[in-house]
Amino acid sequence: MNIWSQETYLKASRFAAQAHRGQLVPGTELPYLLHLSMVSMEVIAALQGDARFDGELALQCAWLHDTLEDTAISYATLAQEFSPQIADGVSALTKDSRLAKPLQMTDSLRRIKLQPPEVAMVKLADRITNLQRPPAHWTKAKTGQYRDEALEIYHALKDANAFLAARLLAKIEAYAVFVEDQK
Ligand code: NI
């Protein structure tokens, strides 16, 4: 059984490609779309025909999750083009830049937990995707902080989806090597 439609996927991915055009994955020369496609892939792997989850909601939020934070797209545009539910999900996944930096993740996690579990799935998939080898200029302290933040995400959202939670925990454990390697 298919719990999401290819047409919805195409619309959201095309919209994201347009919104993020010209942006690169930080520290690389690769298009930002790569990050979004990896997050979407993690979400698809977790859905695997699991009818308990709304695949349409999960995949649209996956493609659109950085539009409010990193592009000129507004909440109103997302609500109109997609739905208020999608706009609310993406909004929860967006850090509140008015808060002090150290508070932003905890605040976003609190808001994600007020949303359906599909929104938490996107956050888990996002951090799974981002736990790759850190840029060479990151200090050991920064790399360690990034790992600790990943643990905070894991503990806050692990009940939303067991498959993604297990995968995130494995990625956090593997990331220890990078923390050790950093100067
Ligand atoms: Ni992201």
Side-chain angles (χ1 to χ4, degrees), residues 32 35 65-66 126:
Y32 198 74
H35 168 66
H65 77 273
D66 282 327
D126 184 47

Side-chain angles (χ1 to χ4, degrees), residues 50-167:
D50 188 338
R52 289 173 305 168
F53 296 102
D54 179 345
E56 295 270 284
L57 174 61
L59 280 167
Q60 288 174 91
C61 284
W63 276 108
L64 301 169
H65 77 273
D66 282 327
T67 52
L68 295 180
E69 195 160 295
D70 296 336
T71 80
I73 300 297
S74 69
Y75 176 95
T77 300
L78 287 183
Q80 193 182 4
E81 277 287 321
F82 297 92
S83 72
Q85 188 185 30
I86 302 289
D88 285 344
V90 175
S91 186
L93 291 159
T94 303
K95 290 190 197 114
D96 184 347
S97 58
R98 295 166 304 180
L99 297 175
K101 255 223 151 53
L103 304 177
Q104 290 179 5
M105 180 60 74
T106 307
D107 169 69
S108 174
L109 292 173
R110 180 185 59 75
R111 290 182 287 115
I112 289 168
K113 286 169 85 165
L114 300 174
Q115 293 289 316
E118 289 81 0
V119 177
M121 287 173 69
V122 173
K123 187 68 203 177
L124 292 166
D126 184 47
R127 189 50 66 105
I128 289 166
T129 301
N130 284 339
L131 282 177
Q132 299 180 35
R133 180 181 293 282
H137 68 268
W138 278 26
T139 62
K140 199 185 193 84
K142 180 163 168 105
T143 310
Q145 263 169 24
Y146 200 69
R147 180 183 178 278
D148 292 347
E149 198 180 65
L151 266 176
E152 184 187 355
I153 294 168
Y154 170 79
H155 286 297
L157 306 180
K158 64 180 182 332
D159 294 336
N161 185 277
F163 179 92
L164 288 169
R167 184 151 162 78

